[in-house]
């Protein structure tokens, strides 16, 4: 928020607002306070930049050596291909391990853009099958046409979905709960014909989703009000979509650069040679771990920068709506600037914690899949680490909300998160979970629409990507993936906004009533519907 115009409030002040009763019976709340502009957690921001310099140095030193080595052996029957083929090195344990790690390193970067990469591989494979150069050009043009139309359709429908979520948030939440039950029911029926264990899992999923819907059904009105309010804030500042889509492009560029740095680093430090088709040494585990941390850390920083920016914009919309009520409002630039400067160190600190755990998950998974023994213990370790990662990511999403709204350091923001969950508890989690269900359902729905649209265009224009069945599958997959990625990117803004609305409503219901009376009345009604005993 803009510190020059935000109405400051005393952090020691307690709220006792009848429109915001605590469902847990604790009406004492310490309000957040806007922090003076200063650079927080500077050491971690500097460490992040140093790590980027290190990655650039690795690319500059090792990439030319690897490319030179491969280029020198291009006429030897493709020795570089044998190097990456683990089956050709079954007698060389070091080469086998390194080969697996090389494939693993390449695969790590595809986690973000796996769908888009797969779509590109499908089209490239089809192009390679065409002997005629003109046909290949036509296939490429067809691919661009499908991508362009899918992107346009996805942007239009997802923008319309924002309007629908504002006016029909309650119905959409109900639909998402029912959809989860039906989807798990279909899975259970299909599993009966495949595996008894799968059938048991299906029964468990049906029971869990049904019970969850039963428990949270009474909380739907309040969750719907939060979703509608968050969507209204994002729609009023739709220029945030440029921040979200630019982050998507940045992630893609980072993935490409990381590959250029990571693969040669492992290739050269392991003593790999394209002509020999083998590596002298096993890949250094520490080097691989640091490379993975680099990849996940930067990815998390990019993602969380958007989250903090959204939190700042929604916070400004909450307190000073005149500064955050237009497509390219002043608050968007201000919040983005603060995310990249004053709060950048805090973003780097929180992101680094997740990156370290995510890297450990990846390494344990690789050890488990190598089949070298201890798979049961490794499986348990992987599950525990993955659970820890999910908990930290969820905690971070709330901590970064406080960073964006008030400018806290990461540690101070964490203390506020603990206070939030102490007084709000399951109310906060349920509200956030219901909103996420709607956003996921909308993303998949738009993906299906763009996939079908792409399939129709492909059929009517006679586009061919491989055989007849493969052509249909490729066209649908291209459209579905494009729609899903673009819609999920846009709706991630709403996801961050939902967290911000929950925090701001806990801190400043009075300001909300003054600045957004209609939404405040709806929120009041949502509370009354969710906890009627508090309004007797």
């Amino acid at each position: 928020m803009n510190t020059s115009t935000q109405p400051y409030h005393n952090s020691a002040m307690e709220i006792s607002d009848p429109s915001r009763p605590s469902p847990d019976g604790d009406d004492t709340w310490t309000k957040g306070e806007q922090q003076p502009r200063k650079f927080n957690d500077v050491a971690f921001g500097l460490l992040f930049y140093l790590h980027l310099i290190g990655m650039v140095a690795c690319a500059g030193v090792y990439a030319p050596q690897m490319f030179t080595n491969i280029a020198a052996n291009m006429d030897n029957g493709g020795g570089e291909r044998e190097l990456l083929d683990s089956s050709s090195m079954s007698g060389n344990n070091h080469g086998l391990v390194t080969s697996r790690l090389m494939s693993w390193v390449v695969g790590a970067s595809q986690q973000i853009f796996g769908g888009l990469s797969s779509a590109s591989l499908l089209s490239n494979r089809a192009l390679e099958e065409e002997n005629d150069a003109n046909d290949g050009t036509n296939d490429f043009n067809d691919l661009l046409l499908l991508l362009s139309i899918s992107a346009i359709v996805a942007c239009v429908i997802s923008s319309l979905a924002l309007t629908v979520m504002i006016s029909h948030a309650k119905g959409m939440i109900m639909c998402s709960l029912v959809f989860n039950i039906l989807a798990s029911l279909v899975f259970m029926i299909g599993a009966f014909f495949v595996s008894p264990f799968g059938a048991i899992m299906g029964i468990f999923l049906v029971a869990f989703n049904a019970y969850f819907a039963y428990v949270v059904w009474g909380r739907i009105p309040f969750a719907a009000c939060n979703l509608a309010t968050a969507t209204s804030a994002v729609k009023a500042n739709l220029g945030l979509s440029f921040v979200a889509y630019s982050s998507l492009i940045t992630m893609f560029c980072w993935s490409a650069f990381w590959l250029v740095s990571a693969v040669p680093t492992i290739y050269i430090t392991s003593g790999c040679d394209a002509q020999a088709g083998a590596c002298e040494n096993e890949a250094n585990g520490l080097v691989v771990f640091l490379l993975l941390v680099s990849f996940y850390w930067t990815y998390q920083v990019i993602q969380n920068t958007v989250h903090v920016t959204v939190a700042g914009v929604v916070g400004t919309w909450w307190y000073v709506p005149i500064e955050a009520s237009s497509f390219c409002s002043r608050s968007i630039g201000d919040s983005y600037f603060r995310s990249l400067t004053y709060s950048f160190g805090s973003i780097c600190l929180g992101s680094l914690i997740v990156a370290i755990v995510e890297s450990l998950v990846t390494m344990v998974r690789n050890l488990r899949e190598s089949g070298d023994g201890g798979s049961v213990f490794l499986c348990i370790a992987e599950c525990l680490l993955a659970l820890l990662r999910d908990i930290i990511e969820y905690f971070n999403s709330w901590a970064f909300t406080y960073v964006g709204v008030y400018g806290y350091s990461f540690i101070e923001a964490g203390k506020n998160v603990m206070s939030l969950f102490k007084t709000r508890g399951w109310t906060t989690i349920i509200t956030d979970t219901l909103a996420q269900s709607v956003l996921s359902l909308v993303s998949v729905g738009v993906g299906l629409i763009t996939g079908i649209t792409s399939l129709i265009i492909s059929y009517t224009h006679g586009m061919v990507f491989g055989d007849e069945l493969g052509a249909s599958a490729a066209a649908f997959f291209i459209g579905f993936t494009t729609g899903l990625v673009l819609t999920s990117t846009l709706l991630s803004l709403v996801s961050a906004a939902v967290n911000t609305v929950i925090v701001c409503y806990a801190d400043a219901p009075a300001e909300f009533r003054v600045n957004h009376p209609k939404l405040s009345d709806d929120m009041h009604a949502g509370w009354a519907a969710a906890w009627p005993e508090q309004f007797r």
Side-chain angles (χ1 to χ4, degrees):
M1 291 177 295
N2 192 312
T3 56
S4 62
T5 56
Q6 181 209 338
Y8 290 108
H9 35 268
N10 191 335
S11 62
M13 185 182 299
E14 294 181 353
I15 296 178
S16 181
D17 194 296
S19 70
R20 192 196 52 82
S22 171
D24 302 319
D26 184 358
D27 289 331
T28 301
W29 181 264
T30 302
K31 299 177 70 174
E33 186 177 51
Q34 184 69 28
Q35 303 299 297
R37 292 199 174 191
K38 64 176 182 178
F39 292 94
N40 294 316
D41 303 308
V42 177
F44 293 92
L46 293 176
L47 182 61
F48 179 79
Y49 284 121
L50 288 175
H51 123 269
L52 289 182
I53 294 174
M55 292 298 292
V56 172
C58 287
V61 172
Y62 296 120
Q65 296 181 40
M66 185 188 79
F67 294 143
T68 300
N69 180 270
I70 292 177
N73 296 279
M74 285 294 289
D75 297 329
N76 295 333
E80 73 283 356
R81 290 185 179 271
E82 295 179 4
L83 179 66
L84 298 178
D85 182 3
S86 59
S87 63
S88 67
M89 296 180 295
S90 56
N92 186 332
N93 186 58
H94 291 319
L96 177 60
V97 174
T98 302
S99 174
R100 186 181 297 122
L101 287 171
M102 293 284 282
S103 300
W104 167 33
V105 166
V106 174
S109 67
Q110 296 175 342
Q111 291 188 19
I112 303 174
F113 300 98
L116 291 177
S117 299
S118 299
S120 298
L121 289 174
L122 279 173
S123 61
N124 288 338
R125 188 177 303 161
L127 290 176
E128 290 175 358
E129 294 175 354
E130 297 290 341
N131 295 322
D132 187 82
N134 292 329
D135 289 342
T137 302
N138 292 335
D139 282 347
F140 182 74
N141 292 334
D142 290 344
L143 174 63
L144 290 181
L145 178 62
L146 288 181
L147 289 173
S148 301
I149 295 178
S150 298
I152 294 173
V153 171
C155 291
V156 172
I157 297 179
S158 57
S159 298
L160 294 175
L162 296 179
T163 302
V164 175
M165 283 193 290
I166 293 174
S167 57
H168 298 87
K170 182 178 179 180
M172 295 184 72
I173 291 177
M174 292 179 177
C175 288
S176 68
L177 292 174
V178 173
F179 176 81
N180 289 338
I181 296 175
L182 294 177
S184 58
L185 185 62
V186 171
F187 172 80
M188 180 190 70
I189 295 174
F192 270 112
F193 299 96
V194 178
S195 165
F197 177 75
I200 295 174
M201 288 297 299
I203 294 173
F204 174 77
L205 286 175
V206 172
F208 175 80
N209 285 322
Y211 179 73
F212 179 77
Y214 170 77
V215 170
V216 305
W217 200 265
R219 305 293 188 256
I220 289 178
F222 178 65
C225 293
N226 277 274
L227 179 59
T229 300
T231 307
S232 298
V234 171
K235 188 178 179 183
N237 298 272
L238 204 53
L240 282 169
S241 59
F242 289 114
V243 177
Y245 290 134
S246 64
S247 72
L248 194 65
I249 297 173
T250 304
M251 289 178 186
F252 181 83
C253 294
W254 163 246
S255 298
F257 170 75
W258 182 83
L259 282 175
V260 172
S261 180
V263 173
T265 299
I266 295 177
Y267 185 98
I268 298 300
T269 58
S270 300
C272 299
D273 182 72
Q275 184 175 7
C279 299
E280 295 180 359
N281 307 308
E282 182 178 347
N284 187 298
L286 179 60
V287 172
V288 174
F289 176 74
L290 292 177
L291 289 172
L292 286 172
V293 170
S294 170
F295 176 78
Y296 291 122
W297 190 12
T298 305
Y299 165 65
Q300 286 286 327
V301 167
I302 296 170
Q303 184 182 57
N304 292 326
T305 297
V306 176
H307 187 105
V308 172
T309 301
V310 174
V313 173
V314 175
T316 304
W317 174 86
W318 189 278
Y319 289 99
V320 195
I322 193 174
E323 292 188 3
S325 296
S326 61
F327 187 89
C328 291
S329 61
R330 170 186 173 185
S331 65
I332 297 176
D334 288 347
S335 296
Y336 192 53
F337 174 77
R338 289 195 302 275
S339 298
L340 295 177
T341 53
Y342 300 111
S343 299
F344 190 72
S346 301
I347 294 173
C348 292
L349 171 55
S351 301
L352 178 60
I353 298 173
V354 175
I356 292 174
V357 178
E358 183 69 56
S359 299
L360 290 174
V361 171
T362 303
M363 295 194 73
V364 171
R365 182 186 303 119
N366 181 74
L367 290 174
R368 177 178 59 81
E369 293 176 349
S370 66
D372 294 332
S375 57
V376 175
F377 296 102
L378 290 174
C379 183
I380 295 174
E382 181 184 347
C383 291
L384 292 176
L385 286 171
L387 177 61
L388 177 62
R389 174 202 61 201
D390 293 341
I391 293 174
I392 296 174
E393 283 185 332
Y394 190 75
F395 177 87
N396 278 2
S397 68
W398 292 97
F400 287 134
T401 298
Y402 280 96
V403 170
V405 174
Y406 298 112
Y408 285 114
S409 67
F410 183 76
I411 300 300
E412 289 299 319
K415 294 178 181 178
N416 280 274
V417 173
M418 299 305 296
S419 175
L420 173 69
F421 279 96
K422 181 180 179 181
T423 54
R424 289 291 170 267
W426 289 108
T427 304
T428 299
I429 297 175
I430 289 173
T431 301
D432 182 49
T433 301
L434 292 177
Q436 297 303 325
S437 297
V438 172
L439 300 179
S440 299
L441 182 61
V442 172
S443 297
V444 173
V446 174
L448 290 174
I449 293 174
T450 54
I452 294 173
T453 302
S454 180
L455 184 60
I456 294 173
I457 294 174
S458 175
Y459 178 77
T460 56
H461 286 72
M463 300 178 183
V464 178
F465 300 95
D467 56 35
E468 184 175 353
L469 179 61
S472 300
F476 176 83
F477 187 74
I478 291 170
F480 175 80
T481 305
T482 303
L484 180 66
V485 170
L486 293 180
T487 305
S488 299
T489 302
L490 178 63
L491 296 187
S492 67
L493 303 175
V494 179
S495 176
V498 168
N499 290 9
T500 309
V501 166
I502 294 174
V503 169
C504 289
Y505 192 64
D507 277 354
E511 286 87 341
F512 186 49
R513 189 183 307 115
V514 171
N515 296 324
H516 307 280
K518 174 60 171 62
L519 291 171
S520 178
D521 291 342
D522 293 341
M523 190 80 79
H524 179 94
W527 272 101
W531 295 279
E533 66 278 2
Q534 300 287 343
F535 287 83
R536 292 175 182 173

